[in-house]
């Protein structure tokens, strides 16, 4: 039953198929039963990849049914017949006999059909025909059957052990699969130093001592299962170059995998390891071109006859800028043009083909992009491959003219990166909805010839790899942001059982949401290049409910949920769950806890809290937990299969180090300490006119709650009680005891709004908290007394409760303490423009949703009048108790303009003011860009006037399509800086 549901889901969401032809009713086809096992027939002359795929399918059937099919060139009564049109005698026979129509398959790129027919020799039998347009298509068709019988593409790489079934029947609907949305689809094995290389050299392939043909065979097997066709091999100096081992290129050809190389590896040459400056001279084309051309010629000759994608142009050694004699841009452009001309001559001479017949790419990355933008001429048949900014935001895409190029365009995208402002090489923390949004944009701008994902060591990037390649296979199945959740539900159901699918998806969405706000590797607030010490967190511990504690609690909830899930996971999926979900979640939680508890330890020590030691211990325990889980991954999981694959400290950066813990200062005598939300200092009765003894004002229209920390100073034990001096004051705990085992407690104070008296408008002096910006009047005041054996400390409580008639049924956003905080998706009204409208993307942003202007093909608006007349507009009703100058802060996803024809802009106005344009575009690797990618947020502000207390309307117009608005803050002077905008409370 479960298997049939998985097949149905795959068909519905298009993960397994792209339908180009007419399909009929599904036909049941028996693969195995108590007395039967299917035969697999392929022509002896078929390409090696077809034979490999047939062997993989046979092994998959064995693992599911316990019976292994025979593979032969003879068609049996009940069998699978697979072949490549024009290359397979078996398939061509069915075509010539009119039993198989391949008109929608023949001659197309990587297209195949599945069709069940009656056996021409025995009408009682059935034959499942797999007809491929080329060798990869046939292999994909065979492995489609593996998917149908419930075998995960990750059956080896993530130990997803299939369910055993004695009777194995699949429902086959006659369909056409392909052609894929993107021609070349694959991965880049990069920054492999800490995982893949060590695992291969010391564990999986010790006979080579490296990432060699045995390892690549397993990588290529994964690519076939994921319907990918391209590899950029590992290229760091710790790994021997791909062509160093002759078997590597043969294995690639056997698996029909196309070999390409990155932006700094021209003509399939690994400059890191293949260029010896001592013997070959300096790596610079202006003075040493003959030696460089000799290397290019050697590789072109070696790769002739194999499927390859040649990277054209060149950069400097070790991914550095190209060295040239003249430093003016025009000379640099001319030299790079000469490099490309010479490379094309070499290709023509060494491969025997015209250069324009060979796949070639040009990657405008870093300074090469500058050369291209300054007029570099590039042959039309070379594909432009655009890159993201290394943090998931595509820098540039083809403009209207570039989209007409014969060579088309592609994208090189990162989910793993080494470099400034900070690496993220350990866990997969790229939000899948962000990746979908950027790749959907790339697809819309016609980047459809090559998609490459830099996935580091493969593990733990499994889900994002599959999502990336599934999108590349069929982008029509991913039209909306919700498609990602549908995809993840399918993935989770296939890997962990349908009953666990929704729970796993919800858990992973929360994991990615927290990582989007700040990646685990960025939690030390440190930088690289150069490496610096950990910095001060910008998460607030004293305002808005304590951002540090909120993040601790959110991750703890994830840990609790993932542990509960693991406990009820089926035995055959325990290891897969550990690799795909448990380890990433628990590790991300603990590196967060390590740093978050360290930040709390530091503040507690400054305040003299005895809890400093406890908080420091929690930080150390989190560090130790990461050690324990990583050791289990490497040493015990699958009996050591993955030893050396996981490293909890890539590059030994400060973020991964053992935390430095501050010691608290203890007094001789135990004392009661109180710290209130909104104050960095604790309550101190010895300070005259101290304002740290009054909670922020409670607002009847925002229903706040605030915390009070009750903590121990010194050694001993203190019993305390909290006495509310009004019946409308609610306290989560009224009595307690603090000691060395429980050195502090956090209690929450709120208001019973059914009991609190209505505030009267009367002249009243403020309580000394000008930042609260609650106007005098309408307040109700009381207090809470904290009582010990020898001390009473009173904490002031002030409630703003005017019961204004105009707010009785008001649905807009309401000011709280001098600011109005709004999630962008909570608009009061939206109006479509002439070409575009605002749409909501789910699963991304600080609030979990963003509003974006689509379609991206709409025209940008450059003049205020056209903005007002033509652009879609969002409108937000809001109410203020204060008035005057205000700053309107907009937080957007830090995307880049797709090309010079566009920007990343919107326009803002309050009430009837003229729109003011807000621009989120950044240039290069500026400090602003660095802050944006570390936070996954771009915050800009514009001044506005709130001319009176009362009702107002904020308007946001599209200026450029694609701009994504996350959150809004209207600050009338009361916002205290925090990492995120204050949470919306109503």
């Amino acid at each position: 039953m479960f298997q049939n549901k998985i097949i149905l889901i795959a068909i519905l969401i298009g993960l397994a198929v792209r339908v180009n032809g007419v399909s009929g009713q599904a036909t049941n086809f028996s693969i195995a039963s108590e007395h039967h096992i299917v035969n697999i027939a392929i022509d002896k002359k078929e390409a090696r990849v077809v034979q490999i795929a047939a062997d993989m399918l046979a092994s998959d059937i064995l693992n599911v049914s316990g019976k292994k099919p025979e593979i032969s060139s003879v068609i049996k009564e009940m069998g699978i017949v697979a072949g490549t049109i024009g290359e397979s005698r078996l398939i061509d026979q069915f075509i010539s006999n009119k039993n198989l129509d391949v008109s929608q398959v023949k001659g197309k790129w990587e297209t195949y059909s599945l069709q069940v027919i009656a056996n021409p020799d025995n009408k009682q039998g059935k034959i499942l025909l797999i007809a491929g347009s080329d060798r990869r298509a046939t292999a994909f068709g065979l492995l489609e059957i593996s998917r149908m019988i419930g075998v995960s593409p990750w059956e080896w790489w993530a130990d997803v052990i299939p369910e055993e079934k004695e009777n194995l029947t699949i429902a086959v609907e006659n369909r056409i699969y392909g052609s894929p949305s993107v021609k070349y689809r694959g991965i880049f094995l990069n920054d492999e130093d800490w995982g893949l290389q060590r695992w291969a050299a010391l564990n999986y392939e010790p006979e080579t001592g490296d990432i060699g043909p045995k390892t690549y065979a397993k990588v290529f097997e994964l690519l076939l299962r994921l319907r990918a066709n391209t590899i950029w091999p590992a290229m760091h100096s710790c790994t021997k170059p791909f062509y160093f081992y002759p078997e590597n290129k043969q294995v690639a050809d056997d698996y029909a995998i196309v070999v390409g190389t990155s932006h700094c590896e021209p003509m399939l040459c690994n400059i890191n390891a293949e260029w010896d400056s001592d013997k070959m001279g300096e790596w610079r084309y202006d003075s040493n071109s003959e030696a460089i051309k000799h290397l290019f010629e050697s590789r072109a000759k070696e790769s002739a006859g194999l499927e390859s994608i040649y990277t054209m142009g060149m950069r400097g050694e070790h991914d550095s800028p190209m060295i040239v004699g003249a430093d003016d841009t025009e000379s640099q452009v001319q030299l790079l043009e000469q490099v490309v001309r010479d490379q094309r001559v070499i290709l023509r001479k060494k491969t025997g083909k015209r250069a324009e017949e060979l796949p070639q790419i040009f990657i405008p990355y870093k300074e090469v992009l500058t050369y291209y933008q300054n007029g570099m001429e590039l042959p039309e048949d070379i594909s432009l491959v655009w890159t993201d900014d290394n943090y998931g935001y595509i820098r540039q895409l083809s403009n209207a003219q570039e989209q007409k190029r014969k060579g088309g365009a592609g994208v090189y995208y990162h989910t793993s990166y080494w470099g400034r402002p900070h690496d993220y090489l350990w866990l997969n923390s790229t939000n899948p909805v962000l990746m979908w949004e950027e790749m959907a944009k790339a697809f819309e701008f016609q980047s459809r010839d090559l998609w490459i994902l830099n996935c580091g060591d493969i593990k733990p990037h499994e889900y994002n790899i599959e999502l990336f390649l599934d999108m590349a296979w069929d982008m029509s199945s991913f039209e909306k942001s919700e498609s990602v959740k549908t995809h993840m539900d399918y993935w989770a159901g296939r890997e962990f059982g349908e009953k666990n699918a929704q729970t796993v998806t919800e858990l992973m969405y929360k994991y990615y949401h927290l990582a989007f706000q700040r990646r685990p590797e960025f939690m030390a607030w440190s930088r690289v290049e150069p490496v610096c010490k950990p910095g001060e967190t910008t998460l607030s511990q004293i305002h808005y409910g304590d951002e540090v504690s909120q993040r601790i609690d959110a991750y703890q909830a994830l840990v609790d949920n993932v542990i509960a899930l693991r406990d009820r996971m089926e035995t055959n999926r325990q290891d897969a769950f550990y690799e795909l979900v448990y380890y990433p979640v628990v590790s991300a939680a603990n590196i967060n806890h390590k740093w978050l508890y360290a930040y709390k330890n530091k503040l507690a020590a400054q305040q003299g809290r005895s809890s400093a030691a406890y908080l420091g211990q929690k930080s150390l325990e989190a560090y130790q937990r990461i050690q324990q889980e990583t050791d289990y991954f490497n040493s015990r999981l699958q009996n050591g299969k993955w030893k050396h694959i996981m490293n909890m400290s890539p590059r030994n950066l400060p973020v991964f180090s053992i935390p430095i813990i501050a010691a608290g200062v203890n007094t001789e005598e135990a004392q009661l300490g109180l710290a209130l939300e909104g104050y960095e200092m604790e309550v101190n009765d010895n300070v005259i006119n101290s304002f740290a003894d009054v909670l922020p004002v409670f607002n009847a229209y925002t229903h706040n709650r605030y915390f009070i920390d009750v903590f121990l100073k010194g050694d001993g034990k203190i019993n305390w009680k909290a006495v509310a001096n009004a019946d409308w004051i609610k306290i989560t705990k009224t009595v307690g005891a603090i000691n060395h085992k429980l050195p502090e407690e956090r209690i929450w104070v709120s208001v019973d709004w059914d009991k609190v008296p209505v505030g009267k408008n009367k002249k009243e002096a403020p309580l000394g908290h000008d930042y609260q910006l609650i106007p005098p009047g309408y307040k109700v005041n009381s207090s809470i007394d904290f009582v010990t054996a020898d001390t009473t400390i009173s904490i002031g409580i002030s409630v703003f409760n005017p019961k204004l008639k105009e707010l009785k049924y008001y649905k807009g956003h309401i000011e709280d303490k001098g600011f109005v905080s709004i999630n962008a998706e909570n608009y009061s009204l939206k109006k479509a423009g002439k070409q575009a409208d605002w749409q909501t993307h789910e699963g991304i942003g600080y609030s979990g949703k963003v509003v974006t202007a689509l379609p991206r093909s709409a025209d940008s608006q450059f003049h205020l009048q056209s903005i007002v007349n033509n652009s879609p507009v969002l409108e937000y009703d809001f109410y203020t108790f204060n008035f005057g100058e205000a700053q309107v802060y907009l937080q957007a996803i830090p995307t880049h303009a797709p090309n010079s024809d566009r920007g990343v802009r919107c326009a803002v106005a309050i009430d009837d003011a003229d729109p003011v344009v807000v621009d989120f575009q950044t240039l290069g690797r500026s400090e602003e860009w660095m802050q944006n990618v570390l936070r996954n947020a771009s915050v800009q502000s514009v001044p506005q006037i709130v001319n009176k207390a009362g009702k107002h309307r904020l308007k946001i117009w599209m200026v450029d399509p694609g701009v994504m608005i996350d959150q809004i803050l209207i600050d009338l002077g009361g916002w205290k800086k925090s990492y995120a905008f204050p949470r919306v409370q109503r």
Side-chain angles (χ1 to χ4, degrees):
M1 181 66 178
F2 169 69
Q3 178 61 37
N4 291 337
K5 287 184 178 180
I6 288 294
I7 294 169
L8 178 60
I9 293 171
I11 292 172
L12 288 175
I13 68 175
L15 294 173
V17 297
R18 178 184 172 111
V19 183
N20 292 331
V22 178
S23 60
Q25 295 295 319
T27 301
N28 288 334
F29 184 81
S30 176
I31 300 290
S33 64
E34 184 179 358
H35 304 294
H36 161 74
I37 183 64
V38 75
N39 174 74
I40 302 174
I42 61 172
D43 197 300
K44 292 179 179 179
K45 295 182 180 180
E46 272 286 1
R48 178 73 181 124
V49 69
V50 176
Q51 300 173 35
I52 289 172
D55 287 337
M56 290 166 62
L57 174 58
S59 294
D60 292 340
I61 293 172
L62 172 64
N63 291 335
V64 174
S65 70
K67 297 183 177 70
K68 187 169 185 178
E70 178 188 357
I71 301 174
S72 70
S73 58
V74 178
I75 300 173
K76 298 292 180 68
E77 180 178 339
M78 292 284 287
I80 297 172
V81 181
T84 307
I85 299 167
E87 302 292 333
S88 169
R89 172 186 55 83
L90 302 179
I91 286 295
D92 290 349
Q93 172 184 317
F94 283 98
I95 297 171
S96 62
N97 292 337
K98 309 296 184 183
N99 297 122
L100 178 62
D101 179 7
V102 294
S103 59
Q104 297 183 65
V105 177
K106 187 177 181 179
K108 294 186 177 180
W109 180 263
E110 294 180 353
T111 303
Y112 59 95
S113 67
L114 297 186
Q115 183 175 343
V116 175
I117 67 169
N119 190 325
D121 298 326
N122 183 347
K123 298 297 184 182
Q124 301 302 313
K126 295 177 182 177
I127 292 178
L128 172 55
L129 294 176
I130 302 171
S133 63
D134 52 43
R135 58 177 181 161
R136 272 189 297 273
T138 307
F140 293 159
L142 283 159
L143 294 173
E144 196 69 52
I145 309 304
S146 289
R147 286 173 175 255
M148 289 182 173
I149 66 174
V151 176
S152 167
W154 300 98
E155 57 86 30
W156 191 87
W157 276 94
D159 302 301
V160 187
I161 301 171
E163 299 287 339
E164 294 181 3
K165 300 180 181 68
E166 185 177 20
N167 294 308
L168 189 56
T169 299
I170 58 174
V172 180
E173 190 173 352
N174 294 348
R175 287 186 180 272
I176 308 299
Y177 296 67
S179 295
S181 297
V182 178
K183 187 173 185 179
Y184 294 106
R185 313 165 304 282
I187 62 174
F188 179 21
L189 304 177
N190 194 220
D191 304 322
E192 70 277 8
D193 312 44
W194 300 276
L196 191 65
Q197 203 284 333
R198 282 175 51 78
W199 168 79
L202 301 175
N203 186 356
Y204 186 68
E205 197 171 354
E207 64 275 17
T208 305
D210 202 355
I211 300 175
K214 182 180 176 183
T215 303
Y216 276 115
K218 277 299 179 186
V219 174
F220 298 156
E221 180 180 308
L222 173 66
L223 293 181
L224 287 182
R225 289 185 182 276
L226 292 171
R227 295 179 300 244
N229 60 14
T230 305
I231 188 72
W232 284 5
M235 47 75 69
H236 275 206
S237 56
C238 64
T239 309
K240 295 246 182 348
F242 183 79
Y243 289 92
F244 177 85
Y245 303 104
E247 300 93 335
N248 281 351
K249 67 177 185 289
Q250 184 59 54
V251 170
D253 189 54
D254 287 347
Y255 280 82
I257 298 300
V258 184
V259 179
T261 46
S262 66
H263 56 277
C264 54
E265 300 175 89
M267 295 284 284
L268 301 177
C269 298
N270 183 337
I271 307 309
N272 275 346
E274 293 185 305
W275 186 262
D276 187 337
S277 297
D278 293 336
K279 297 179 180 178
M280 304 161 78
E282 198 170 6
W283 176 256
R284 51 184 298 171
Y285 208 77
D286 59 340
S287 61
N288 196 24
S289 62
E290 290 306 312
I292 293 173
K293 284 192 287 186
H294 180 72
L295 177 64
F296 292 165
E297 290 169 348
S298 174
R299 186 52 39 78
K301 180 179 180 181
E302 185 177 9
S303 60
L306 303 174
E307 282 194 275
S308 305
I309 301 174
Y310 295 93
T311 299
M312 310 301 281
M314 63 182 288
R315 295 194 73 224
E317 288 186 77
H318 306 291
D319 202 8
S320 62
M322 183 172 64
I323 302 173
V324 294
D327 60 1
D328 64 289
T329 300
E330 183 178 354
S331 298
Q332 294 164 343
V333 168
Q334 292 174 357
L335 182 63
L336 197 54
E337 289 175 343
Q338 185 62 52
V339 171
V340 174
R341 284 195 296 269
D342 291 347
Q343 288 170 334
R344 285 166 70 84
V345 169
I346 290 169
L347 287 176
R348 196 161 51 241
K349 182 171 64 173
K350 295 298 180 182
T351 67
K353 296 181 180 179
R354 292 184 302 151
E356 51 267 34
E357 296 175 350
L358 298 169
Q360 300 156 73
I361 62 173
F362 180 79
I363 308 174
Y365 184 71
K366 295 185 179 178
E367 82 287 345
V368 177
L369 175 59
T370 303
Y371 304 154
Y372 178 76
Q373 291 171 334
N374 279 273
M376 178 187 173
E377 293 186 4
L378 193 70
E380 283 286 309
D381 57 276
I382 297 178
S383 297
L384 291 169
V385 176
W386 305 107
T387 70
D388 67 322
D389 61 1
N390 306 319
Y391 292 84
Y393 301 100
I394 297 174
R395 276 286 187 194
Q396 185 171 328
L397 290 164
S398 300
N399 60 28
Q401 190 61 36
E402 289 165 335
Q403 289 176 25
K404 299 175 183 178
R405 291 175 54 87
K406 180 182 177 182
V411 174
Y412 164 42
Y413 194 84
H414 293 76
T415 55
S416 173
Y417 181 65
W418 172 348
R420 63 178 178 174
H422 200 285
D423 309 356
Y424 56 103
L425 300 171
W426 179 35
L427 303 174
N428 179 32
S429 53
T430 297
N431 186 293
V433 179
L434 171 65
M435 185 170 69
W436 162 81
E437 188 278 333
E438 292 293 283
M439 299 314 297
K441 177 167 60 180
F443 191 77
E444 186 174 338
F445 280 80
Q446 301 301 309
S447 288
R448 304 181 178 186
D449 287 86
L450 172 73
W451 282 14
I452 294 291
L453 181 69
N454 184 330
C455 63
D457 293 320
I458 297 179
K459 305 183 76 66
H461 295 261
E462 293 95 339
Y463 175 72
N464 272 7
I465 292 172
E466 183 165 351
L467 173 63
F468 183 89
L469 294 174
D470 280 345
M471 290 190 295
W473 175 256
D474 179 14
M475 200 62 196
S476 70
S477 295
F478 295 88
E479 294 182 351
K480 297 182 178 180
S481 62
E482 295 89 338
S483 302
V484 177
K485 181 167 280 190
T486 301
H487 180 274
M488 190 179 288
D489 274 339
Y490 160 75
W491 171 82
R494 184 193 69 200
E495 310 300 49
F496 312 120
E498 188 179 44
K499 65 181 180 181
N500 296 316
Q502 184 176 354
T503 305
V504 170
T505 298
E506 289 174 357
L507 186 149
M508 294 307 293
Y509 258 61
K510 291 175 184 175
Y511 164 85
Y512 285 116
H513 179 242
L514 288 168
F516 185 81
Q517 291 177 335
R518 197 164 188 96
R519 293 182 191 264
E521 293 92 342
F522 300 169
M523 287 304 298
W525 265 259
S526 53
R527 299 283 190 93
V528 300
E529 298 182 12
V531 174
C532 70
K533 295 180 180 179
E536 293 293 330
T537 179
T538 52
L539 292 163
S540 175
Q541 293 193 59
I542 61 175
H543 296 296
Y544 312 124
D546 181 356
E547 291 181 299
V548 171
S549 289
Q550 288 168 1
R551 195 166 174 87
I552 288 173
D553 293 344
Y555 268 112
Q556 188 58 54
L558 273 184
V559 171
D560 293 343
N561 289 336
V562 80
I563 289 173
L565 259 174
R566 188 185 185 192
D567 289 342
R568 65 173 185 260
M569 197 61 55
E570 297 292 337
T571 302
N572 65 326
R573 298 299 166 91
Q574 287 274 349
D575 288 348
F577 184 75
Y578 186 89
E579 295 170 45
L580 297 172
V581 178
Y582 185 93
Y583 181 84
V585 168
V586 171
S587 296
N590 278 282
I591 198 170
N592 269 270
H593 283 169
K594 181 183 76 172
W595 285 104
L596 295 167
Y597 277 117
Y599 298 137
K600 295 192 78 65
N601 158 261
K602 183 177 180 180
L603 179 61
Q606 291 171 348
Q607 293 181 341
R609 302 192 193 191
S610 297
S611 59
Y614 164 80
L615 296 167
Q617 183 60 33
K618 294 287 286 183
S619 177
L620 288 169
E621 288 172 359
Y623 173 79
Q624 292 163 356
R625 179 69 179 276
I626 298 171
Q627 288 182 311
Q628 293 165 3
E629 297 295 350
T630 306
D631 180 68
Y632 177 84
F633 203 126
N634 287 324
S635 300
R636 297 168 56 194
L637 186 68
Q638 283 284 305
N639 297 314
K641 174 181 176 180
W642 299 113
K643 190 171 185 178
H644 304 297
I645 197 72
M646 194 58 61
N647 190 310
M648 61 175 277
S649 183
R651 290 221 289 157
N652 294 317
L653 296 176
V655 67
F656 301 117
S657 62
I658 189 168
I660 298 174
I661 302 305
V665 179
N666 287 333
T667 59
E668 294 182 0
E669 185 179 348
Q671 299 178 33
L672 175 70
L674 297 177
L676 278 56
E677 179 168 344
Y679 306 95
E680 190 166 349
M681 70 176 79
E682 71 273 23
V683 176
N684 192 335
D685 281 351
N686 296 324
V687 178
I688 299 174
N689 294 327
S690 169
F691 296 120
D693 58 356
V694 180
L695 282 172
V697 173
F698 292 85
N699 187 336
Y701 297 101
T702 54
H703 287 200
N704 324 78
R705 69 170 192 161
Y706 303 113
F707 66 80
I708 299 175
D709 285 343
V710 181
F711 61 87
L712 178 68
K713 300 179 74 173
D715 292 324
K717 176 182 178 181
I718 293 180
N719 296 310
W720 61 270
K721 65 178 180 178
V723 180
N725 292 315
D727 64 350
W728 44 265
I729 298 175
K730 298 165 64 177
I731 311 172
T732 54
K733 188 171 185 178
T734 56
V735 294
I738 47 178
N739 50 54
H740 72 283
K741 291 184 178 180
L742 183 65
E744 69 177 35
E745 290 189 86
R746 173 163 288 180
I747 68 170
W748 290 91
V749 181
S750 57
V751 171
D752 186 337
W753 296 103
D754 293 329
K755 294 181 179 180
V756 65
V758 175
K760 304 298 182 183
N761 192 6
K762 58 185 178 181
K763 289 186 178 181
E764 174 184 324
L767 294 173
H769 303 292
D770 55 346
Y771 70 84
Q772 295 185 40
L773 288 176
I774 295 294
Y778 297 113
K779 289 201 186 81
V780 180
N781 299 319
S782 187
S783 63
I784 300 173
D785 293 334
F786 283 84
V787 182
T788 68
D790 55 6
T791 304
T792 298
I793 303 174
S794 293
I795 303 300
I797 306 294
S798 183
V799 175
F800 179 67
N801 189 32
K803 299 296 184 189
L804 302 174
K805 289 183 179 179
E806 59 185 341
L807 292 180
K808 187 172 183 179
Y809 300 108
Y810 188 66
K811 296 184 182 298
H813 306 274
I814 300 178
E815 177 197 343
D816 182 31
K817 299 186 293 294
F819 62 83
V820 182
S821 187
I822 304 170
N823 289 337
E825 71 271 15
N826 294 329
Y827 46 79
S828 306
L829 180 69
K830 76 178 179 79
K831 298 176 183 176
K834 289 188 176 180
Q835 295 183 357
D837 198 4
W838 294 98
Q839 297 183 24
T840 300
H841 287 341
E842 297 185 3
I844 189 175
Y846 277 41
S847 70
K849 295 180 181 180
V850 297
V851 183
T852 185
L854 295 174
R856 300 178 188 89
S857 57
D859 293 334
S860 295
Q861 304 298 320
F862 297 100
H863 306 289
L864 291 183
Q865 198 59 47
S866 65
I867 292 171
V868 173
N869 293 338
N870 300 328
S871 289
V873 62
L874 297 166
E875 298 185 1
Y876 299 86
D877 292 333
F878 69 97
Y879 189 99
T880 67
F881 306 106
N882 295 279
F883 60 93
E885 294 183 0
Q887 284 287 326
V888 177
Y889 291 89
L890 296 182
Q891 179 168 304
I893 306 301
T895 54
H896 303 290
N899 50 60
S900 58
D901 300 334
R902 303 293 178 94
V904 189
R905 297 167 296 177
C906 64
V908 179
I910 288 179
D911 296 332
D912 296 324
D914 290 334
V916 178
V917 173
V918 181
D919 193 349
F920 298 101
Q921 181 66 58
T922 56
L923 299 176
R925 295 159 73 86
S926 64
E927 178 61 27
E928 181 183 9
W929 167 79
M930 291 186 190
Q931 290 292 345
N932 287 354
V933 296
L934 288 170
R935 298 182 58 203
N936 276 320
S938 175
V939 178
Q940 300 293 333
S941 68
V942 295
Q944 289 285 285
I945 297 295
V946 176
N947 60 7
K948 63 180 178 62
K951 294 180 180 179
H952 299 277
R953 177 160 286 196
L954 173 73
K955 299 176 184 178
I956 302 178
W957 291 267
M958 179 206 84
V959 176
D960 297 299
V963 62
M964 292 191 284
I965 310 300
D966 188 356
Q967 293 183 303
I968 305 155
L969 186 78
I970 304 169
D971 182 22
L972 293 113
W975 178 40
K976 310 304 288 184
K977 296 296 182 182
S978 51
Y979 184 81
F981 292 167
R983 293 185 179 183
V984 178
Q985 297 184 30
R986 287 300 302 273

